[in-house]
Amino acid sequence: MSVLIIVFLTAVIALFSGVFEQGKFARYIGILGLIIALYVSFMPECSFFDHYKHMYEYSANTALFTKISIVTTLLLFFLGGFAFSNHRSHQSELYALMLFALCGGIVLFGYQNLVTMFIGVEILSIPLYVMAGANKTDLRSNEASIKYFLMGAFATGFLLFGIAFIYGSAGSFDLYKIHDFGVANTHNVMFILGVLLILCALAFKVALAPFHMWSPDVYVGSPSLITAFMASVVKISGFFALFRLMTIGFAGVTHEWINVLGVFLIITLLLANVMGLAQTNAKRMLAYSSVSHAGYIGLVFFGMTSLSTYNLAFYLFAYSLSTVGVFMCLIWVEKLKRETSYGAFKGLAKTEPLLATAAAISMLSMAGVPLTAGFMGKFALFSQAMNGAAFLVLVAVLGSALSIAYYLRLIIAMFFFKESTFKSSEKVTLTYNIIAVVVIAAIIILGIFPDFFASMFGL
């Protein structure tokens, strides 16, 4: 909880820094606060917070996913100086909202009852509704905000209705008491209905089909840095919340929800990858790519072992690194070209080889090409799922094969056009080059030495 308090106070200070110099200090305040929070996350939790263990517990798993989220957010903050250059008048609000959303994610990593989970989901979601509409003069951004809000409110209704059913049947919000009730009452209709309603609500949060309809329009309409935050930190938070709930609270009735989740994954893997092939806009393609990765990550629920949580963390971190690498390139191109079609990337490698290389390696990692972190993440999840759902793994492999095609279209545009459409005077900032090197190194090192992940996060 110490980390949560630090991130929250950082968000408040960043918000009020907008009073001075139009909030140009907010990014530095956020970076400093996140570094302090990351340092504290490696330390033992203060015993004072033991009083709140029935609501929120900072366990080893909570610490691991908190570290991953903070590192990802920190990388995005470094990209913010250039990405938010046209948001001078409300930079402090955007950085503060990102930190508030991160607070919601941290709550979801350690919640012990359904009330705390609901609070975490809302703290995570409400800032996103605002950030999606940050481009006030862009109709697509306005559409993204209202669509995300309306669909999010609908999903919240599902979540609350499900929680009401669970409480009405189990008589408790506590995950472990709910687990015990589920074990003793495996065919309680009200309880099972509550489980399925909550599953649908959280499927919306992580963009699992058929609850993904909001995702492409919201991802395209939102500012690109916010889209990267949604595709990485929000997905980390949403998936661990779903994983924690299903493997602790609803583990007693696994047979009632596992097949429903399997159907969601099949639809997700096939639909998202086929739709990704049909796109002509890189940002929209990445939106469908994000949906497809929700399908791959969902395999963690099948053939579960003692390493399932570790496999989930590794995959989410690998995917988040790749997301940062691709969106870093997309942000720079979008600023110069004011569009994100494949054509806008033509010849980028001739002008900015480091940036293009980071994006290419990131997409190869997303596709699961060997010697990348994404390959090791997929290999771990697919190997695990083979023990309980071989057919799902076959569908996932097919989806991965399809994804290579639409990732290659963007790589070809960047590397295989003789003439560059970028002027030699348009140079990327030093910060972006440094982050590009960090992303490339991390993806390759984790792809060759996956055990380095455990060392990196103190496991």
Side-chain angles (χ1 to χ4, degrees), residues 74-76 78-80 320-332 348 351-363 365 414-415 427-445:
L74 194 56
L75 290 174
L76 293 175
F78 279 115
L79 302 181
S320 296
L321 281 175
S322 300
T323 299
V324 172
V326 176
F327 273 90
M328 173 174 56
C329 179
L330 186 141
I331 287 167
W332 192 76
L348 176 63
T351 307
E352 292 295 343
L354 191 58
L355 202 64
T357 302
I361 290 176
S362 296
M363 285 186 284
S365 179
M414 292 188 294
F415 284 88
K427 292 296 181 182
V428 76
T429 63
L430 177 63
T431 303
Y432 274 55
N433 281 326
I434 293 172
I435 299 299
V437 172
V438 169
V439 169
I440 292 169
I443 289 174
I444 293 175
I445 289 171

Side-chain angles (χ1 to χ4, degrees), residues 120-135:
V121 167
E122 292 307 298
I123 294 173
L124 176 69
S125 301
I126 292 172
L128 294 172
Y129 303 152
V130 180
M131 288 189 287
N135 290 333

Side-chain angles (χ1 to χ4, degrees), residues 25 96 99 195 303 417 427:
F25 303 115
L99 291 169
V195 170
F417 276 84
K427 292 296 181 182

Side-chain angles (χ1 to χ4, degrees), residues 43-44 51 84 95 127 153 169 207 213 240 292 346 348:
M43 301 172 66
H51 301 292
F84 285 158
Y95 289 120
S169 53
M213 289 84 73
F240 188 69
S292 72
K346 287 182 178 179
L348 176 63

